[in-house]
């Protein structure tokens, strides 16, 4: 018997390394209005709470709401047509998803990225491996609200106490807690182990193979 009946994953920093494309679109939008560009490490710190927060954090001090909204609109348009330039699954992820499918453990993705991008990226990189993908929309509150995770579990017909949430950030830890789910934190993403432990991580894994063992599907 497997320890969980479903696995709900974060997307950015957990399944896909999206950082370069996020940084490129952020800097494209900033450059359009003459704002200073941001480094890759700065963008790494800015991600996790949705693209509106990403752009708000990337804007220079003193930027108005109107200026931020204008920059966000440029980011969204650029990212939708450039989000697969440098993005790809982390090594071992596709094999992990295949093993979950073979074990009959359904998979969902929930993300603070806008819904169109989440669905497009999941379809492109994972195909039928991920039947449920939910992003930010007008009807779903962003993580750490539990809405997206609970909606995913409802779609999979699995109760929260029989599912595990897997992510790379403090937001993911908070989301799992709010949804009443166990949480496994991965260290290969956008936050390191020390940060995750300081923000309440209960279980860390360093590789997809370690995650497979935690999910009972190794070997």
């Amino acid at each position: 018997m497997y320890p969980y009946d479903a696995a709900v994953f974060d997307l950015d920093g957990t399944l896909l390394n999206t950082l370069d494309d996020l940084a490129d679109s952020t800097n494209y939008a900033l450059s359009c209005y003459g704002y200073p560009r941001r480094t890759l490490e700065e963008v790494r710190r800015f991600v996790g709470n949705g693209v509106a927060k990403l752009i708000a954090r990337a804007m220079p001090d003193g930027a108005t709401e109107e200026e931020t909204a204008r920059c966000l609109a440029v980011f969204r348009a650029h990212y939708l047509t450039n989000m697969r330039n440098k993005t790809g699954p982390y090594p071992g992820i596709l094999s992990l998803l295949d093993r979950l499918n073979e074990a009959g453990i359904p998979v969902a993705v929930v993300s603070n990225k806008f819904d169109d991008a989440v669905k497009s990226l999941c379809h492109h990189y994972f195909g039928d491996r991920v039947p449920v993908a939910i992003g930010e929309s007008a009807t779903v509150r962003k993580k750490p609200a539990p809405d997206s995770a609970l909606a995913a579990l409802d779609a999979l017909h699995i109760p929260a106490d029989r599912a595990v949430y897997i992510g790379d950030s403090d937001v993911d830890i908070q989301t799992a807690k709010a949804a009443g789910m166990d949480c496994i934190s991965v260290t290969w993403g956008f936050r390191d182990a020390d940060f995750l432990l300081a923000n309440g991580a209960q279980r860390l894994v360093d590789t997809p193979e370690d995650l497979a063992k935690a999910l009972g599907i190794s070997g």
Side-chain angles (χ1 to χ4, degrees):
M1 181 177 178
Y2 299 111
Y4 300 105
D5 294 333
V8 179
F9 287 87
D10 171 55
L11 185 61
D12 298 53
T14 302
L15 296 178
L16 292 180
N17 186 350
T18 57
L19 187 60
D20 284 319
D21 283 334
L22 287 168
D24 286 351
S25 289
T26 297
N27 283 323
Y28 174 83
L30 292 171
S31 297
C32 282
Y33 298 104
Y35 302 134
R37 294 169 62 86
R38 295 294 192 165
T39 68
L40 195 65
E41 287 308 307
E42 285 177 318
V43 174
R44 183 191 299 273
R45 294 197 303 270
F46 296 159
V47 298
N49 297 95
V51 296
K53 280 285 190 181
L54 164 61
I55 295 303
R57 290 165 176 163
M59 293 289 284
D61 291 342
T64 66
E65 289 186 10
E66 182 180 356
E67 290 168 337
T68 302
R70 184 175 61 181
C71 200
L72 174 61
V74 173
F75 169 91
R76 283 178 175 267
H78 186 270
Y79 188 70
L80 275 173
T81 56
N82 290 276
M83 61 186 175
R84 296 195 296 268
N85 293 348
K86 302 174 183 176
T87 287
Y90 287 99
I93 288 298
L94 293 183
S95 173
L96 173 72
L97 295 177
D98 285 338
R99 288 155 78 179
L100 282 165
N101 276 267
E102 290 165 6
I105 300 172
V107 170
V109 164
V110 297
S111 173
N112 276 343
K113 192 190 299 289
F114 49 105
D115 193 60
D116 287 350
V118 172
K119 287 178 167 53
S120 176
L121 287 169
C122 285
H123 176 74
H124 179 80
Y125 289 107
F126 308 132
D128 294 337
R129 297 177 179 92
V130 177
V132 176
I134 300 172
E136 178 192 358
S137 70
T139 59
V140 178
R141 290 182 298 168
K142 294 193 298 293
K143 301 182 293 183
D147 301 34
S148 56
L150 294 176
L153 292 177
D154 186 59
L156 296 176
H157 307 292
I158 302 293
D161 63 357
R162 290 301 308 154
V164 62
Y165 187 102
I166 301 152
D168 73 309
S169 75
D170 51 326
V171 173
D172 296 314
I173 295 166
Q174 295 161 13
T175 302
K177 184 177 181 179
M181 300 170 66
D182 283 354
C183 184
I184 299 175
S185 299
V186 308
T187 62
W188 61 75
F190 298 163
R191 303 289 188 267
D192 63 25
D194 288 342
F195 178 92
L196 292 168
L197 289 170
N199 282 274
Q202 298 295 311
R203 188 169 189 179
L204 299 178
V205 294
D206 297 324
T207 68
E209 184 58 36
D210 290 340
L211 180 53
K213 293 176 183 176
L215 297 174
I217 58 168
S218 61

